[in-house]
């Protein structure tokens, strides 16, 4: 009944969950015909579905040859990331591997069979991935190889180095996510589905990646602490505690939330770049691919802002909320309205005593200026009394059915992967 109570408070979730379940998801994630693919590509898409909870569906919805280029790009970086994550590989072996990994794309027989990581199949069968890489047009190969090289060097740099300053936080996020945004943007332009400026403006593309990565790092504080990882910048958290782990102590909850709010304010500075980037996109499949993670991120930050639960458990947006965002974020005016809605939600929660309150208000003012509601989407959550009554009745009749939403959908809307 708790699920029913939640839905009664958010009737738009019920409507969109039903619409999504009954086929509406095909508008943003049309099914790809894999029967026409060669054996190698079919294998690559199988690995994509096995290793990515959040990106598999939207990658497969991309148009034309761009779809295959992005699929291979993802798998190459997943293989690289698996090397970085594998703690069983000694550093004197791992560092050269990361530096040289891009060269293996041109070595048909190279593979690594000693990994203990869950995604080790992309290393064990790297010959299939590299074979499909070499089948891509040279313009795609050049982008993927270049980004793989830069990311490997960056990952090696931070293997034994903690994130101290906010500058280093930006640098780390650039290596693991900003470069992905830059690489994807170059692929978009190379496909000619998007103008050349999309791939050339690396600052905006970098911000797209940084906004997602910072959101994940902020949200995953407790999970990372439990697994012995630290990604919050020392320059910020050291003003609130002696050790980053101290923020999880109940007696420190007030200063912990202040630290959280400061980092969220930092992440919000990327939103104007995100809006500018998205406003340049012309192809619908590319727009959906780029916009959906960004609106998920702003909703996640709004849920995390000033929220003690970040230090006690997991903060997630509702499944119905995620589906609503996926269904709505199909044009720039809708995305601006979504951004406006969630920064207003944050604004209403700013404590007057918060040390970052002025900075938070300032960055929200700049986002407001770019996303003033001017379309019907801005009021998309205002429902008539008749609709509300129908929605409540519908919830009472169908809440149990909706609770069995398909596993693939559930994994997508819950994931915060980059």
């Amino acid at each position: 009944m708790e699920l029913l109570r939640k839905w009664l408070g958010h009737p738009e979730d019920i409507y969109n969950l039903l619409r999504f379940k009954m086929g509406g998801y095909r508008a943003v994630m049309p099914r790809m015909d894999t029967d026409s693919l060669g054996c190698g590509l079919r294998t690559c898409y199988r690995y994509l579905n096995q290793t990515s909870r959040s990106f598999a569906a939207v990658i497969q919805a991309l148009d034309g040859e761009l779809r295959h280029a992005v699929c291979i790009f993802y798998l190459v970086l997943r293989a690289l990331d698996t090397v970085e994550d594998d703690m069983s590989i000694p550093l004197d072996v791992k560092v050269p591997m990361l530096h040289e990994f891009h060269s293996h794309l041109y070595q048909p027989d190279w593979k690594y069979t000693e990994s203990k990581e869950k995604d080790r199949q992309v290393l064990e069968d790297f010959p299939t991935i590299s074979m499909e890489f070499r089948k891509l047009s040279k313009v795609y190969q050049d982008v993927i190889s270049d980004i793989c090289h830069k990311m490997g060097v960056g990952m090696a740099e931070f293997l034994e180095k903690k994130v101290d300053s906010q500058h280093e936080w930006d640098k780390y996020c650039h290596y693991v996510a900003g470069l992905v945004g830059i690489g994807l943007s170059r692929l978009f332009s190379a496909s000619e589905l998007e103008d050349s400026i999309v791939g050339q403006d690396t600052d905006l593309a970098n911000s797209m990646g940084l906004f997602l990565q910072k959101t994940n790092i902020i949200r995953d504080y407790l999970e990372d602490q439990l697994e012995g990882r630290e990604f919050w910048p020392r320059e910020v958290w050291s003003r609130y505690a002696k050790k980053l782990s101290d923020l999880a102590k109940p007696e420190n909850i007030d200063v912990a939330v202040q630290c959280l709010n400061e980092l969220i304010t930092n992440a919000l500075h990327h939103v104007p770049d995100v809006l500018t980037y998205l406003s340049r996109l012309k192809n619908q499949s590319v727009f959906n691919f780029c916009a959906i993670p960004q609106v998920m991120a702003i909703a996640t930050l709004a849920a995390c802002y000033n929220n003690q639960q970040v230090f006690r458990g997991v903060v997630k947006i509702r499944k119905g909320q995620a589906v609503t965002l996926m269904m709505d974020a199909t044009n720039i005016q809708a995305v601006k309205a979504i951004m406006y809605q969630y920064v207003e939600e944050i604004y209403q929660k700013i404590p007057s005593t918060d040390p970052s309150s002025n900075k938070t208000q300032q960055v929200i003012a700049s986002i407001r200026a770019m996303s003033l509601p001017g379309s019907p989407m801005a009021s998309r959550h205002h429902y008539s009394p008749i609709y509300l009554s129908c929605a409540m009745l519908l919830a009472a009749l169908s809440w149990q059915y909706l609770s069995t939403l398909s596993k693939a959908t559930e994994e997508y809307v819950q994931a915060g992967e980059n």
Side-chain angles (χ1 to χ4, degrees):
M1 292 303 292
E2 178 62 25
L3 181 62
L4 176 58
R5 282 193 292 272
K6 287 182 180 179
W7 283 345
L8 290 176
H10 301 277
E12 71 279 6
D13 288 1
I14 307 165
Y15 172 72
N16 283 309
L17 276 167
L18 276 175
R19 188 158 64 105
F20 192 85
K21 182 70 175 176
M22 297 173 70
Y25 60 94
R26 294 298 177 206
V28 290
M29 292 184 292
R31 179 173 295 167
M32 185 184 73
D33 178 18
T34 57
D35 293 338
S36 61
L37 302 178
C39 180
L41 262 182
R42 281 203 303 273
T43 299
C44 287
Y45 279 104
R46 185 173 78 249
Y47 292 154
L48 176 67
N49 283 287
Q50 289 172 351
T51 59
S52 171
R53 295 174 301 166
S54 59
F55 284 134
V58 285
I59 287 175
Q60 292 173 81
L62 288 168
D63 289 339
E65 62 183 15
L66 176 62
R67 176 191 307 138
H68 303 326
V70 174
C71 172
I72 300 304
F73 184 44
Y74 175 87
L75 292 177
V76 168
L77 297 187
R78 172 58 62 193
L80 178 69
D81 190 56
T82 302
V83 171
E84 184 206 21
D85 287 344
D86 195 332
M87 302 306 293
S88 69
I89 305 175
L91 282 180
D92 61 342
V93 175
K94 184 184 290 189
V95 170
M97 279 186 72
L98 292 173
H99 277 274
E100 299 165 7
F101 196 86
H102 68 288
S103 66
H104 301 320
L105 291 166
Y106 299 97
Q107 299 168 0
D109 298 326
W110 186 89
K111 60 184 174 181
Y112 186 75
T113 58
E114 299 176 26
S115 177
K116 305 296 189 291
E117 292 294 298
K118 62 182 177 63
D119 293 333
R120 59 186 176 273
Q121 70 267 34
V122 294
L123 289 171
E124 293 171 347
D125 193 19
F126 198 75
T128 296
I129 297 170
S130 67
M131 176 183 67
E132 293 303 325
F133 163 83
R134 292 187 299 275
K135 290 180 181 178
L136 296 172
S137 299
K138 186 177 185 301
V139 66
Y140 295 134
Q141 290 185 36
D142 290 346
V143 172
I144 295 171
S145 176
D146 180 52
I147 296 298
C148 181
H149 185 199
K150 291 174 179 175
M151 186 176 289
V153 171
M155 286 177 168
E157 178 182 337
F158 277 91
L159 278 178
E160 293 187 290
K161 176 181 174 181
K162 289 191 175 182
V163 178
D164 285 328
S165 67
Q166 293 186 66
H167 173 73
E168 286 179 335
W169 197 37
D170 282 354
K171 190 176 183 181
Y172 171 77
C173 291
H174 164 73
Y175 282 139
V176 300
L179 282 172
V180 179
I182 291 169
L184 286 169
S185 300
R186 289 169 61 188
L187 292 177
F188 299 156
S189 294
S191 72
E192 299 185 352
L193 293 176
E194 298 297 344
D195 292 336
S196 58
I197 186 62
V198 172
Q200 292 169 354
D201 196 334
T202 56
D203 287 342
L204 292 189
N206 188 58
S207 278
M208 292 283 285
L210 264 60
F211 185 58
L212 299 182
Q213 186 66 20
K214 288 181 178 181
T215 298
N216 290 340
I217 288 173
I218 291 166
R219 179 200 60 197
D220 293 341
Y221 165 84
L222 191 60
E223 177 184 331
D224 287 336
Q225 281 293 302
L226 294 174
E227 296 187 13
R229 301 189 301 253
E230 293 190 354
F231 298 112
W232 284 26
R234 178 185 295 271
E235 180 184 344
V236 175
W237 64 255
S238 63
R239 292 198 291 270
Y240 300 91
K242 291 183 179 179
K243 296 186 296 183
L244 182 56
S245 58
D246 288 345
L247 296 178
K249 296 179 179 179
E251 62 268 26
N252 295 328
I253 192 62
D254 290 339
V255 293
V257 169
Q258 291 175 356
C259 181
L260 168 71
N261 291 347
E262 181 172 346
L263 290 181
I264 291 177
T265 300
N266 177 295
L268 288 173
H269 280 89
H270 297 291
V271 173
D273 280 355
V274 168
L275 292 174
T276 300
Y277 181 97
L278 293 175
S279 69
R280 290 176 174 172
L281 301 179
K282 301 184 302 182
N283 179 270
Q284 188 65 58
S285 72
V286 172
F287 186 91
N288 294 346
F289 177 88
C290 295
I292 290 172
Q294 301 294 333
V295 296
M296 296 283 192
I298 192 66
T300 299
L301 288 183
C304 289
Y305 185 81
N306 210 49
N307 188 349
Q308 298 179 0
Q309 186 62 22
V310 172
F311 303 95
R312 296 169 176 166
V314 180
V315 175
K316 292 182 179 179
I317 60 176
R318 304 181 310 276
K319 294 177 190 175
Q321 182 183 7
V323 167
T324 296
L325 291 170
M326 291 169 60
M327 300 288 283
D328 284 354
T330 56
N331 63 78
I332 187 60
Q333 290 305 319
V335 170
K336 286 182 177 181
I338 291 168
M339 292 290 187
Y340 186 92
Q341 172 192 336
Y342 285 109
V343 296
E344 284 299 302
E345 188 176 308
I346 292 173
Y347 184 82
Q348 295 302 321
K349 294 192 290 185
I350 299 175
S352 59
T353 57
D354 190 271
S356 303
S357 61
N358 288 338
K359 290 182 179 178
T360 310
Q361 291 169 358
Q362 288 171 8
V363 69
I364 286 178
S366 68
I367 298 170
R368 280 172 171 165
M370 293 187 68
S371 56
L372 289 173
S375 71
M377 290 301 303
S379 58
R380 68 192 190 287
H381 295 314
H382 297 165
Y383 294 89
S384 68
I386 293 177
Y387 171 77
L388 290 172
S389 299
C390 291
M392 289 181 183
L393 177 61
L394 182 60
L397 295 172
S398 62
W399 71 272
Q400 187 172 9
Y401 165 72
L402 286 172
S403 68
T404 62
L405 194 64
S406 68
K407 182 182 178 186
T409 301
E410 179 176 352
E411 287 184 341
Y412 181 83
V413 301
Q414 287 184 348
E417 192 177 84
N418 304 290

